[in-house]
């Protein structure tokens, strides 16, 4: 290339834009070639090679601030830097693979992205007499718990798994789901609240289902988003939950209060 090529041709050759070439010049990554007699800068083979090297390293994830010293370094530091780039690319590949798997689960119908053990629990709930609406509510609560208190989600699932083996817990849970059609002042709400509170107090291992959803920050807000999901204000369900929490607090149990 005796005369060289224009900046537009050099950009096309390196598969980048003219703006990017000028940005590389500004950062000192590629020297600006001298102008010819017509006032145009002409890029020779050395500049084109440097452009391709910079573009390749930038595309591989090397910060632009590191590319200049890297290309100007000796063989050993250059190899070490490339090994670091390879490590970052491998980590990025793993991240992209995980994202691809999530997209696959979405397209295959698993829109909650819950772990297999949670899905298995939900699939087994109908055999215990839970309705499809109960299962949907439980699924949504699981999703919220996983998103808002991820550090405690595995323990929460374990607590639920154990509790579902207790016929009394299952009975009370189904009864609580049935309050949707009740009036808030229905005397059965207070009766059920008493039964639930007494059951939890008599079974401390199940009590963690209520107390375990407490995050390190914004505790009350996160707790209420999960524990009171799907409740309508001034509904029988809201009154039931409030009565249960009040009875547990009166017994010395730490239950987050509204913010």
């Amino acid at each position: 290339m005796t005369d060289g090529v224009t900046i537009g041709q050099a950009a096309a050759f390196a598969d980048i834009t003219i703006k990017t070439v000028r940005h590389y010049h500004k950062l000192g990554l590629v020297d600006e070639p001298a102008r010819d007699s017509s006032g145009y800068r002409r890029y020779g083979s050395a500049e084109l090679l440097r452009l391709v090297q910079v573009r390749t390293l930038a595309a591989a994830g090397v910060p632009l601030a590191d590319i200049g010293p890297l290309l100007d370094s000796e063989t050993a530091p250059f190899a070490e830097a490339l090994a670091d780039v390879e490590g970052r690319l491998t980590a990025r590949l793993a991240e992209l693979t995980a994202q691809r798997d999530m997209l696959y689960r979405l397209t295959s119908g698993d829109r909650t992205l819950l772990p297999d053990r949670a899905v298995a629990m939900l699939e087994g709930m109908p055999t215990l007499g839970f309705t499809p609406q109960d299962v949907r509510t439980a699924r949504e609560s699981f999703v919220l718990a996983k998103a808002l208190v991820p550090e405690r989600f595995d323990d929460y699932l374990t607590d639920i798994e154990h509790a579902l083996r207790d016929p009394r817990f299952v009975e009370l849970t189904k009864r609580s789901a049935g309050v949707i059609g009740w009036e808030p002042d229905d005397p059965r709400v207070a009766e059920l609240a008493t039964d639930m509170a007494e059951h939890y107090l008599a079974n401390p291992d199940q009590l963690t289902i209520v107390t375990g959803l407490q995050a390190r920050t914004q505790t009350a807000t996160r707790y209420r988003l999960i524990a009171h999901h799907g409740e309508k204000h001034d509904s029988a369900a809201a009154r039931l939950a409030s009565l249960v929490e009040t009875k547990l607090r009166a017994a010395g149990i730490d239950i987050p209060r509204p913010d």
Side-chain angles (χ1 to χ4, degrees), residues 120-131 134-135 160-167 169-171 173-174:
M121 248 192 293
L122 294 169
E123 291 176 345
M125 286 180 65
T127 65
L128 297 173
F130 290 99
T131 67
D134 296 337
V135 176
I160 296 288
E161 284 174 337
H162 292 164
L164 287 176
R165 298 170 191 161
D166 180 352
F169 174 85
V170 172
E171 175 203 347
T173 303
K174 288 192 287 188

Side-chain angles (χ1 to χ4, degrees), residues 179-242:
V179 306
I180 294 177
W182 299 358
E183 292 297 324
D185 58 354
D186 190 313
R188 292 176 295 175
V189 174
E191 178 185 345
L192 178 55
T194 298
D195 290 345
M196 292 177 66
E198 290 179 348
H199 177 78
Y200 280 129
L201 293 172
N203 297 271
D205 56 324
Q206 295 177 20
L207 184 57
T208 56
I209 294 173
V210 180
T211 62
L213 293 175
Q214 300 185 29
R216 291 187 293 269
T217 60
Q218 298 178 305
T219 300
T221 299
R222 296 182 191 227
Y223 167 79
R224 294 192 67 79
L225 283 171
I226 300 168
H228 298 271
H229 169 67
E231 292 177 3
K232 294 182 179 179
H233 183 62
D234 292 333
S235 66
R239 181 167 180 254
L240 173 64
S242 178

Side-chain angles (χ1 to χ4, degrees), residues 6 13 19-20 27 30 44 61 91 105 111 154 182 185 187-188 191 195 216 227 231 239 242 246:
T6 65
F13 182 86
K19 183 178 179 180
T20 299
L27 295 177
V30 180
R105 294 181 69 177
R111 299 181 182 276
D154 284 340
W182 299 358
D185 58 354
R188 292 176 295 175
E191 178 185 345
D195 290 345
R216 291 187 293 269
E231 292 177 3
R239 181 167 180 254
S242 178
T246 298

Side-chain angles (χ1 to χ4, degrees), residues 42-217:
R42 294 287 175 174
Y43 292 76
S45 57
E47 289 83 15
L48 291 176
L49 175 61
R50 182 78 174 194
L51 275 176
V52 172
Q53 290 173 328
V54 172
R55 184 261 296 167
T56 301
L57 290 172
V62 179
L64 291 178
D66 297 340
I67 290 178
L70 182 60
L71 289 175
D72 297 332
S73 66
E74 299 296 330
T75 302
F78 184 78
E80 292 174 2
L82 288 184
D84 180 64
V85 171
E86 181 182 7
R88 280 187 274 135
L89 287 175
T90 300
R92 179 59 177 156
L93 179 60
E95 180 183 345
L96 291 172
T97 299
Q99 292 177 351
R100 181 200 62 191
D101 292 342
M102 289 175 65
L103 288 173
Y104 174 77
R105 294 181 69 177
L106 281 171
T107 57
S108 65
D110 183 6
R111 299 181 182 276
T112 62
L113 301 179
L114 291 170
D116 292 340
R117 61 188 296 217
V119 174
M121 248 192 293
L122 294 169
E123 291 176 345
M125 286 180 65
T127 65
L128 297 173
F130 290 99
T131 67
Q133 179 59 48
D134 296 337
V135 176
R136 281 194 295 271
T137 299
R139 177 181 288 110
E140 292 169 358
S141 295
F142 283 177
V143 173
L144 286 171
K146 183 174 182 289
L148 296 176
V149 196
E151 67 275 12
R152 308 222 174 164
F153 186 62
D154 284 340
D155 291 338
Y156 176 63
L157 288 182
T158 299
D159 293 338
I160 296 288
E161 284 174 337
H162 292 164
L164 287 176
R165 298 170 191 161
D166 180 352
R168 176 63 171 164
F169 174 85
V170 172
E171 175 203 347
L172 290 171
T173 303
K174 288 192 287 188
R175 283 174 60 191
S176 67
V179 306
I180 294 177
W182 299 358
E183 292 297 324
D185 58 354
D186 190 313
R188 292 176 295 175
V189 174
E191 178 185 345
L192 178 55
T194 298
D195 290 345
M196 292 177 66
E198 290 179 348
H199 177 78
Y200 280 129
L201 293 172
N203 297 271
D205 56 324
Q206 295 177 20
L207 184 57
T208 56
I209 294 173
V210 180
T211 62
L213 293 175
Q214 300 185 29
R216 291 187 293 269
T217 60

Side-chain angles (χ1 to χ4, degrees), residues 2-3 33-42:
T2 304
D3 298 326
R35 297 182 184 276
D36 62 12
S37 57
S38 300
Y40 293 101
R41 296 190 185 280
R42 294 287 175 174

